[in-house]
Amino acid sequence: MAEERRGSWFGFGFCGFGQALGSGRGRQVHSPEPLQTPGEGADVCRVSASWSYTAFVTRGGRLELSGSAGCAAGGCRDAWASEALLVVLRAGPGRGAGTELQAWAPGSALSGEPLWAHTVGPEAEGEDAPGGEPQAGALPLLPGGRAYVSPRPPFYSPLAPELRARRLELGAEHALLLDEAGQVFSWGQGRHGQLGHGTLEAELEPRPLEALQGVPMAEVAAGGWHSVCVSETGDIYIWGWNDSGQLALPSRSLAEVGKAAAGEASGLKEDGCDVRTAEGESGGLAPFIAIQPFPALLDLPPGTDAVKASCGSRHTAVVTRTGELYTWGWGKYGQLGHKDTSSLDRPRRVEYFVDKRLQVRAVSCGPWNTYVYAVEKAEG
């Protein structure tokens, strides 16, 4: 098997707290720039971004924080950043102590005692995926897929024994779980349709998405109030809040740019979509979708299959099988990577990686920014 070509991380979007994001100049980066990580930040294999800081983990197990929280620590295998908690998997204290899950206040600099700690089993040990791509089971899902961590109490939550999870994603108010059979479950608040069950009701326990039954999924991603999954055949399904076009469906906020809405009408269709209308360019009523409460199939250009997805607060990014990156949704801080601050309600390819002859391998969205891992295209 040929050795995976080593690549580089790139960043773009909001860096108002001094996050390592490309050059880091100013409060925002509008186009992908090579990542300038702090300290010994070379060879990064994990990136987890919160709003005001970002956590980087290197292949050598070094953790670096950049932004409103800053510190460095060794012996780390994985890290998950949120505004309320920084959670790390690292070697436990003492020889032969195994791997320990630790939760810290982001500003603690990982000094003193953690807020809480939990020893995890030997299944936590393992190799990083080639190219630094997050493997199934990365935080906030614990190794072994039997529990997960959350920024709100009780912090550590066990999963039902019958739920054999291989990936778990947390949005602002909801959770998505992908099990070993490729089935998707969701729970939490549903007032923006982010659970995908066709209603706006909350779910206290994981509930399977009936609309996706029989379609094995390979990837799930949770945004602030929207959700995405990628099937094993490369199809994209997306649902939830569409305030900024993050579902790649017609958005009111984009339709109203530079023009006041008039003659608005509203109502839920029989299929549950919150479809509204606003005045179009010709003076007629143009439809837009504020909430999509069940999965909708999203079309990329013909022949384009998706393999990876990630969501920010109100933007979405997808990596294709051929290594191209498409982004859409809220773009105020340049987090879409299109050299501007425009928002989009349709997928658009990030030309930077095409122009530089780079193949994208992984994408990790923070709330208002985006991190991408890419390798040089093979000659031939």
Side-chain angles (χ1 to χ4, degrees):
M1 183 175 178
E3 183 178 353
E4 171 71 20
R5 300 187 304 280
R6 288 294 175 90
S8 302
W9 283 90
F10 298 80
F12 43 100
F14 178 73
C15 53
F17 290 90
Q19 297 97 317
L21 192 70
S23 65
R25 292 188 294 268
R27 294 177 54 85
Q28 49 194 267
V29 175
H30 297 166
S31 181
E33 294 183 359
L35 192 62
Q36 301 297 318
T37 51
E40 301 174 8
D43 208 8
V44 170
C45 64
R46 297 276 195 273
V47 176
S48 180
S50 185
W51 175 60
S52 66
Y53 74 101
T54 304
F56 306 95
V57 180
T58 71
R59 289 179 184 276
R62 184 175 179 82
L63 169 69
E64 301 273 0
L65 301 186
S66 175
S68 65
C71 75
C76 294
R77 180 178 179 269
D78 198 3
W80 180 70
S82 76
E83 289 300 293
L85 282 181
L86 170 67
V87 181
V88 297
L89 273 175
R90 66 193 306 197
R95 187 172 181 178
T99 304
E100 191 171 73
L101 178 76
Q102 299 176 351
W104 299 83
S108 68
L110 274 70
S111 61
E113 295 295 321
L115 298 175
W116 54 264
H118 179 82
T119 301
V120 296
E123 67 269 23
E125 306 299 333
E127 297 296 324
D128 293 321
E133 298 179 39
Q135 286 191 347
L139 291 177
L141 180 67
L142 267 63
R146 300 300 182 90
Y148 67 98
V149 291
S150 167
R152 289 178 288 274
F155 302 126
Y156 175 94
S157 300
L159 292 165
E162 63 271 17
L163 286 177
R164 300 303 300 261
R166 74 181 201 225
R167 190 172 182 88
L168 186 140
E169 292 281 320
L170 295 179
E173 299 177 328
H174 74 295
L176 293 179
L177 182 148
L178 178 67
D179 74 2
E180 291 182 344
Q183 188 172 19
V184 179
F185 296 75
S186 67
W187 67 99
Q189 289 294 329
R191 56 186 173 178
H192 292 94
Q194 64 264 51
L195 299 185
H197 301 303
T199 73
L200 307 184
E201 301 297 322
E203 296 287 343
L204 298 180
E205 300 293 335
R207 176 182 170 185
L209 267 72
E210 296 177 4
L212 299 178
Q213 291 280 5
V215 184
M217 295 296 157
E219 177 93 349
V220 293
W225 298 271
H226 72 291
S227 305
V228 177
C229 61
V230 179
S231 75
E232 292 182 353
T233 57
D235 291 325
I236 303 169
Y237 295 85
I238 192 164
W239 62 95
W241 197 34
N242 193 47
D243 171 77
S244 300
Q246 59 264 51
L247 304 188
L249 296 170
S251 165
R252 174 180 179 177
S253 63
L254 272 63
E256 291 180 348
V257 171
K259 187 172 185 178
E264 182 177 315
S266 173
L268 282 176
K269 292 176 63 178
E270 291 182 4
D271 56 14
C273 290
D274 185 4
V275 178
R276 304 167 184 255
T277 57
E279 186 180 358
E281 294 181 1
S282 62
L285 293 179
F288 65 90
I289 296 176
I291 291 175
Q292 174 78 23
F294 64 93
L297 180 62
L298 173 64
D299 290 326
L300 288 179
T304 303
D305 296 330
V307 291
K308 302 282 183 183
S310 186
C311 300
S313 175
R314 286 182 282 162
H315 75 287
T316 307
V318 164
V319 179
T320 70
R321 204 174 303 279
T322 55
E324 295 179 328
L325 179 70
Y326 286 81
T327 61
W328 61 92
W330 191 44
K332 180 177 180 179
Y333 294 98
Q335 60 264 51
L336 303 186
H338 301 306
K339 301 181 181 180
D340 58 26
T341 57
S342 298
S343 298
L344 299 170
D345 58 9
R346 61 182 60 86
R348 180 178 172 187
R349 188 174 69 178
V350 179
E351 298 299 331
Y352 174 91
F353 299 103
V354 178
D355 295 341
K356 297 291 184 180
R357 294 189 54 78
L358 296 171
Q359 287 185 318
V360 176
R361 290 283 191 262
V363 60
S364 179
C365 293
W368 295 0
N369 51 33
T370 307
Y371 294 89
V372 173
Y373 182 82
V375 302
E376 292 184 2
K377 287 186 177 180
E379 297 295 333

